Amino acid sequence: MSKFWVIFKREYTQVVKKKSFIVGIFLTPAIMAAFMLLPGLLASSEQSEAEPMVVVDQSGQGIGRRFAESLDHYRIGKDSLPAYRFVHIFEVPAAEQDRYRQLIDSLSTAIQDKDVKYVLAVRPDPQISDSNLTLITNSDDFQAINRFERTLTDIVSSIRLQDSDVNLPVDSVLKLTHRINLPIRDTQGESIPFEVKYFSALIFVMLIYAMIVSYGSILMRSVIEEKSSRIMEVLVSSVSPFQLMLGKVLGLGAAALTTVLVWVALGAAVMAASGSATLSISDAIGRMVFNPVIVVFFVLFMISGYLLYSTIFALIGSILNSEKESQNYIFPIVMFLILPVILGIGVVRDPYVTWAQVLSYIPLFAPTMMIMRIMFIAPTQTDYSLFSGIVAESTISFLLVVAATVGMIWLTGRIFRIGILMYGKRPTLPELVRWVGHK
């Protein structure tokens, strides 16, 4: 056991004594906080100047001018400047198709030159078909596009009502049938904005991914370097291969755990100071970052995920002769970890979808997939008892990862004891099977 501790302390101190380790502890949460706050700030930021717009109107019903008048109430911040500047409203007779096409071509060029941002093309009879209205732009500003759609809906609806036999004033009908801005709340109160949920989940998953891949790669490179330089032969002369492997895995794991514990302590300090005048954190972010279910299972899945994957990295390092060979094996590992990010939109729509639940119970996917689901489910839960809801699912998933880790440690130990002393040709799968069964 004393030899195991020597290996453990050597691996641990080699990492934590580096300046990069100290810098990473404080820099990573700062970057994480920036990534959580930045999307919300960008989404809520207002435009700084009026956006140039042109209307080409062939309706003969003054839709272009009514559209411009309706948008006039949108203003920029405290300056009360119009949000949209109508450069020109062309009213083109329906019969002048050549002029219409020439205008659209020249205005498309103006959009490319950034002289105009939006061009609204209104063909004859837009009340008959929505396809007679077209917005030409290279912008994806969903807020502006949503405003235009609402405004045009009101205008075209009023024309349709005037053409109908409804015996009510048009304004009254529009008021009775106006679009509902549906307020959304969850079982805990005000709903957490989508961007806060999604980017929080993304950041927590990427933290687990980064910790596993970075420390796992360090472990694998360490094994390969000691094997290729024959230092491994000296080490195994005084310590058993299993003690050596376990010392390396747990030593680097302790360094990773140190990082996580410092983050938890920093989070607790921020939580304690969040009510003060100097530090104000929105309720939405607080419900995500300080949720006890998220914090507990983030730590558990990070540690168990590291142990599971680090033993795989140790196994790969023991059977290879150079770092160059290892690149082919790292890619599949990365894909296992990054899969929840790729499938993230599906989890956003329904965290309880069957395929996501199944992947949550497969140990290689569980550390990241389960955290992705927890981030969307836990903030809305009112019952945190051990045998209910997401807590029960997470506990089962964690126990499966622990069981898989124990099995992987045994398997890696059987291969590691022979692989670290083998040089030259890379072993084949049948040879690895023989190594596992070798007494």
Side-chain angles (χ1 to χ4, degrees), residues 143-195:
Q143 184 184 46
I145 294 172
N146 192 36
R147 287 175 176 176
F148 301 158
E149 285 180 341
R150 285 206 306 267
T151 302
L152 288 169
T153 298
D154 288 344
I155 295 172
V156 174
S157 296
S158 69
I159 295 173
R160 288 169 179 165
L161 287 169
Q162 286 173 343
D163 294 345
S164 69
D165 296 328
V166 177
N167 190 20
L168 282 173
V170 172
D171 290 344
S172 299
V173 175
L174 288 176
K175 188 175 181 181
L176 292 171
T177 59
H178 75 278
R179 179 176 174 177
I180 295 175
N181 291 319
L182 185 64
I184 301 175
R185 53 161 296 177
D186 57 39
T187 52
Q188 292 278 26
E190 187 177 350
S191 181
I192 298 174
F194 166 77
E195 59 269 17

Side-chain angles (χ1 to χ4, degrees), residues 110-407:
I111 291 176
Q112 293 284 358
D113 296 339
K114 298 183 180 178
D115 296 327
V116 175
K117 189 166 185 179
Y118 304 105
V119 173
L120 175 64
V122 184
R123 303 304 298 272
D125 301 323
Q127 70 276 18
I128 296 176
S129 173
D130 292 348
S131 62
N132 289 337
L133 291 166
T134 306
L135 181 69
I136 305 170
T137 181
N138 288 337
S139 170
D140 295 313
D141 185 345
F142 56 87
Q143 184 184 46
I145 294 172
N146 192 36
R147 287 175 176 176
F148 301 158
E149 285 180 341
R150 285 206 306 267
T151 302
L152 288 169
T153 298
D154 288 344
I155 295 172
V156 174
S157 296
S158 69
I159 295 173
R160 288 169 179 165
L161 287 169
Q162 286 173 343
D163 294 345
S164 69
D165 296 328
V166 177
N167 190 20
L168 282 173
V170 172
D171 290 344
S172 299
V173 175
L174 288 176
K175 188 175 181 181
L176 292 171
T177 59
H178 75 278
R179 179 176 174 177
I180 295 175
N181 291 319
L182 185 64
I184 301 175
R185 53 161 296 177
D186 57 39
T187 52
Q188 292 278 26
E190 187 177 350
S191 181
I192 298 174
F194 166 77
E195 59 269 17
V196 173
K197 270 188 180 180
Y198 184 72
F199 282 99
S200 298
L202 200 61
I203 289 167
F204 275 70
V205 168
M206 292 309 293
L207 279 176
I208 291 179
Y209 164 81
M211 293 291 285
I212 290 175
V213 172
S214 60
Y215 283 100
S217 299
I218 292 174
L219 174 63
M220 186 179 66
R221 284 200 302 271
S222 170
V223 172
I224 293 175
E225 286 174 6
E226 291 173 356
K227 180 181 175 182
S228 59
S229 62
R230 305 296 175 105
I231 294 176
M232 193 67 77
E233 296 176 11
V234 178
L235 290 173
V236 295
S237 66
S238 55
V239 63
S240 71
F242 186 75
Q243 287 178 322
L244 178 63
M245 181 199 74
L246 208 58
K248 285 179 171 295
V249 170
L250 296 183
L252 288 172
L257 181 61
T258 302
T259 304
V260 175
L261 291 179
V262 171
W263 289 348
V264 172
L266 288 174
V270 171
M271 183 180 180
S274 61
S276 67
T278 55
L279 183 60
S280 178
I281 297 177
S282 74
D283 291 340
I285 295 177
R287 284 175 59 190
M288 297 295 294
V289 176
F290 303 132
N291 186 289
V293 174
I294 292 175
V295 173
V296 169
F297 280 103
F298 171 70
V299 174
L300 291 178
F301 277 112
M302 177 173 279
I303 295 171
S304 60
Y306 163 77
L307 292 174
L308 175 62
Y309 277 95
S310 63
T311 51
I312 297 174
F313 277 109
L315 187 153
I316 294 172
S318 68
I319 62 175
L320 300 180
N321 299 302
S322 68
E323 283 190 44
K324 189 176 179 181
E325 296 178 52
S326 66
Q327 299 306 314
N328 297 330
Y329 295 87
I330 291 177
F331 179 73
I333 294 176
V334 170
M335 290 308 297
F336 277 121
L337 289 168
I338 211 73
L339 188 67
V341 177
I342 299 172
L343 303 176
I345 293 299
V347 179
V348 170
R349 293 182 61 190
D350 183 8
Y352 291 102
V353 67
T354 303
W355 58 262
Q357 287 183 304
V358 171
L359 290 177
S360 300
Y361 295 127
I362 299 175
L364 288 175
F365 297 111
T368 47
M369 178 57 81
M370 200 70 226
I371 283 296
M372 176 70 88
R373 293 185 59 224
I374 291 173
M375 295 295 292
F376 281 93
I377 298 173
T380 62
Q381 294 293 291
T382 55
D383 182 7
Y384 291 147
S385 59
L386 183 60
F387 300 105
S388 66
I390 191 64
V391 178
E393 287 189 45
S394 304
T395 303
I396 295 171
S397 176
F398 170 69
L399 292 176
L400 289 173
V401 175
V402 171
T405 302
V406 172

